[in-house]
């Protein structure tokens, strides 16, 4: 990852109503290839082997995935994020990695393993100890794979919506009920920033020119996000300015975005 951004105030009003469905469809197409790769590999995981290959399972989450922008968000905002992914592809030719497009497969993989190795025919129940083990393995593999994808992707956008960040009176910092958002933002806060080669090349050219609540029900777990302040705060206006001013596509469009975000 080179740059991370905390995108605040983004909603469907960013796109004119007549274009929303079209961009959602485009965003769905952008992520479809990644989903198809995962689906193909999941079908081969549950074999008769007593020991599964964790490395191969982990690699199957994102095989040969190439993306410019990692979109971290609440699953409740899926259509909004697909619309954003469609806009990034349509306007700039930038490919997005939509994390929620993969989260759902954690449950599919877990059920596949549990049905094969944890189901007890006699009692028609799952073995509790084995289920704990399978859950910990699957979630650890997915979390690690997400971290590797964040490191690999040049730009991370956390779409900060009311669904993503919980409203709380606790002053410890921003909080979320999503363990995936918590994990992604924590990793985004600690991964090394890797400058793209093209920016190093530009710097060399410049240098050559002499230029440089309390109840009985369980509502979930709240995670305090410690590294959100490392992500630069931007708004939907930043995206508007980018869309209006940028005259290039592809990776160079990200360079323009970084310049606008820094203003």
């Amino acid at each position: 990852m080179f740059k991370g951004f905390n995108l605040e105030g983004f909603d469907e009003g960013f796109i004119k109503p007549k274009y929303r469905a079209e961009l959602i469809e485009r965003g769905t197409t952008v992520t479809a290839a990644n989903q198809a790769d995962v689906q193909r590999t999941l079908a081969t995981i549950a074999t008769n082997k007593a020991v599964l290959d964790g490395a191969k399972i982990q690699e199957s989450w994102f095989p040969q995935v190439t993306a410019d922008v990692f979109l971290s968000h609440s699953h409740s905002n899926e259509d909004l994020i697909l619309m954003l992914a469609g806009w990034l592809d349509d306007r700039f030719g930038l490919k997005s990695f939509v994390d929620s497009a993969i989260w759902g497969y954690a449950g599919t993989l877990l059920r596949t393993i549990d049905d094969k190795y944890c189901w007890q025919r006699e009692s028609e129940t799952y073995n509790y100890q084995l289920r704990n083990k399978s859950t910990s393995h699957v979630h650890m593999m997915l979390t690690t794979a997400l971290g590797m994808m964040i490191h690999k992707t040049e730009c991370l956008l956390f779409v900060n919506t009311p669904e993503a960040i919980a409203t709380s009176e606790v002053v410890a910092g921003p909080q979320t009920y999503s363990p995936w958002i918590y994990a992604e933002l924590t990793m985004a806060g600690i991964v090394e920033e890797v400058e793209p080669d093209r920016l190093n090349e530009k710097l060399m050219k410049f240098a050559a020119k002499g230029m440089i609540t309390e109840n009985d029900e369980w509502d979930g777990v709240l995670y305090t996000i410690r590294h959100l302040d490392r992500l630069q705060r931007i708004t939907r206006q930043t995206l508007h300015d980018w869309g209006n001013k940028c005259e290039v596509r592809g990776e160079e469009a990200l360079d323009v975005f970084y310049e606008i975000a820094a203003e």
Side-chain angles (χ1 to χ4, degrees), residues 227-245:
H227 301 282
L228 187 58
D229 57 352
R230 182 179 171 184
L231 304 184
Q232 182 179 341
R233 293 178 63 184
I234 60 173
T235 66
R236 57 187 259 178
Q237 185 60 48
T238 311
L239 298 188
H240 270 301
D241 292 343
W242 184 26
N244 292 332
K245 297 178 181 179

Side-chain angles (χ1 to χ4, degrees), residues 53-213:
D53 190 329
K56 288 185 177 179
I57 293 175
Q58 184 175 310
E59 290 169 2
S60 76
W61 289 113
F62 316 130
Q64 305 302 317
V65 172
T66 300
D68 304 295
V69 181
F70 186 106
L71 297 179
S72 178
H73 66 97
S74 166
H75 185 75
S76 300
N77 300 130
E78 188 169 6
D79 281 351
L80 179 66
I81 302 308
L82 289 174
M83 184 172 63
L84 177 57
W87 180 75
L88 290 171
D89 181 51
D90 179 62
R91 179 62 183 82
F92 306 109
L94 293 171
K95 300 302 179 185
S96 300
F97 178 86
V98 179
D99 57 5
S100 67
I102 305 299
W103 288 346
Y105 291 110
T108 301
L109 173 58
L110 188 56
R111 183 61 180 266
T112 300
I113 293 175
D114 288 346
D115 286 347
K116 183 70 177 180
Y117 300 103
C118 306
W119 179 251
Q120 302 173 128
R121 293 183 179 179
E122 296 79 9
S123 61
E124 295 188 347
T125 60
Y126 291 98
N127 182 288
Y128 181 75
Q129 286 74 24
L130 291 179
R131 278 280 292 111
N132 284 345
K133 183 183 293 186
S134 64
T135 300
S136 64
H137 279 293
V138 168
H139 288 178
M140 183 59 68
M141 285 187 287
L142 177 55
T143 301
T144 303
L146 284 169
M148 294 170 65
M149 193 66 197
I150 289 172
H151 176 72
K152 177 181 177 182
T153 307
E154 178 177 328
C155 178
L156 178 142
L157 280 181
F158 168 54
V159 184
N160 190 338
T161 63
E163 292 77 20
I165 297 295
T167 301
S168 174
E169 296 180 358
V170 178
V171 297
Q175 297 179 310
T176 180
Y177 283 104
S178 169
W180 302 121
I181 289 177
Y182 170 71
E184 290 169 4
L185 296 185
T186 298
M187 288 183 284
I190 61 178
V191 296
E192 179 185 5
E193 291 186 357
V194 180
E195 189 168 5
D197 291 339
R198 70 178 186 282
L199 295 183
N200 286 323
E201 292 171 0
K202 287 183 179 180
L203 184 60
M204 293 299 291
K205 291 179 181 178
F206 290 151
K209 297 178 181 179
M211 300 172 59
I212 293 291
T213 79

